[in-house]
């Protein structure tokens, strides 16, 4: 699929220009990330194309193509798409392997308030590096990019219920780290 096909998916000239600039700026970087995960250039190119299609849905949330916020969104989408492709490939190769997560409901009162209050601070970024990458990604998508659970589910190619579960676990992990730090 080439850039012209992507551009035909968009109605407005401004949005088309934005997608074209995003593609020009990030497609090589996206390919690199996808190829690192998939170890297959053809599948990496498919991952880039699928990710660009997902990016189309979030063009209105992208203000500055050059900023780290946009780069992080692009990286999150390509990583998620590539990992999803890797899982599908693994399921085909190893049909007996079941990789479903256990769902544990964790009530974490006031954690959402903590995340929102600290979302712009250096402290939060440091704390996010101390939890699982998938938790940091989902918290960033939710509170920094201000995406809905459904939008996050679409980007990460997971169910809405899985988004809520991961958010709950991520909040709990972040809260635990913050409480440990305060007790020191």
């Amino acid at each position: 699929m080439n850039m012209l096909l992507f551009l035909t998916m968009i109605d407005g000239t401004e949005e088309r220009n934005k997608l074209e600039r995003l593609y020009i700026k990030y497609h090589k970087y996206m390919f690199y990330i996808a190829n690192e995960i998939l170890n297959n250039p053809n599948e990496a190119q498919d991952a880039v194309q699928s990710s660009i299609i997902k990016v189309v849905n979030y063009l209105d949330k992208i203000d500055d193509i050059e900023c780290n916020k946009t780069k992080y969104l692009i990286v999150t989408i390509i990583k998620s798409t590539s990992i999803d492709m890797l899982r599908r490939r693994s399921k085909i190769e190893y049909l007996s392997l079941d990789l479903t997560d256990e769902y544990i409901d964790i009530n974490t009162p006031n954690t959402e308030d903590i995340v929102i209050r600290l979302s712009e601070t250096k402290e939060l970024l440091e704390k996010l590096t101390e939890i699982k990458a998938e938790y940091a990604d989902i918290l960033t998508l939710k509170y920094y990019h201000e995406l809905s659970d459904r939008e996050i589910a679409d980007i990460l190619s997971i169910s809405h219920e899985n988004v809520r579960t991961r958010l709950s676990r991520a909040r709990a992990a972040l809260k635990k780290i913050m409480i440990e730090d305060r007790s020191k």
Side-chain angles (χ1 to χ4, degrees), residues 15-31:
E15 296 296 304
R16 270 192 228 120
N17 289 338
K18 188 185 292 186
L19 180 65
E20 184 176 13
R21 290 191 322 267
L22 278 167
Y23 182 82
I24 289 168
K25 172 122 180 103
Y26 293 109
H27 80 277
K28 289 180 183 175
Y29 187 58
M30 292 170 74
F31 178 82

Side-chain angles (χ1 to χ4, degrees), residues 56-167:
V56 168
N57 296 323
Y58 302 98
L59 284 175
D60 61 324
K61 297 198 184 280
I62 298 172
D63 296 323
D64 180 10
I65 291 172
E66 302 290 329
C67 75
N68 285 336
K69 184 177 179 180
T70 300
K71 184 176 182 179
Y72 187 81
L73 179 64
I74 299 291
V75 168
T76 302
I77 290 172
I78 190 65
K79 278 175 42 182
S80 174
T81 302
S82 300
I83 290 168
D84 190 45
M85 289 176 71
L86 187 62
R87 284 186 188 132
R88 276 194 297 252
R89 179 174 51 175
S90 295
K91 283 182 181 180
I92 292 169
E93 292 172 2
Y94 308 102
L95 292 174
S96 63
L97 188 59
D98 185 9
L99 300 174
T100 56
D101 290 333
E102 291 179 30
Y103 293 95
I104 302 170
D105 188 19
I106 302 170
N107 287 332
T108 54
N110 299 322
T111 307
E112 194 167 270
D113 293 337
I114 293 168
V115 172
I116 291 169
R117 190 174 61 242
L118 296 175
S119 66
E120 298 296 321
T121 66
K122 183 180 175 187
E123 181 184 359
L124 178 61
L125 295 175
E126 291 171 4
K127 300 301 178 227
L128 288 176
T129 63
E130 296 177 31
I131 63 175
K132 284 178 155 182
E134 72 179 29
Y135 291 168
D137 289 346
I138 205 158
L139 288 172
T140 303
L141 290 171
K142 180 73 173 176
Y143 298 106
Y144 186 67
H145 292 287
E146 299 177 351
L147 300 178
S148 70
D149 291 358
R150 296 234 182 260
E151 291 171 323
I152 294 169
D154 182 48
I155 288 173
L156 298 178
S157 299
I158 59 177
S159 70
H160 180 258
E161 186 63 33
N162 199 345
V163 168
R164 291 189 336 196
T165 301
R166 284 190 193 178
L167 277 169

Side-chain angles (χ1 to χ4, degrees), residues 1-17:
M1 192 179 297
N2 63 26
M3 189 62 201
L4 274 176
L5 188 55
F6 292 129
L7 294 175
T8 60
M9 296 171 57
I10 303 172
D11 294 329
T13 304
E14 185 179 323
E15 296 296 304
R16 270 192 228 120
N17 289 338

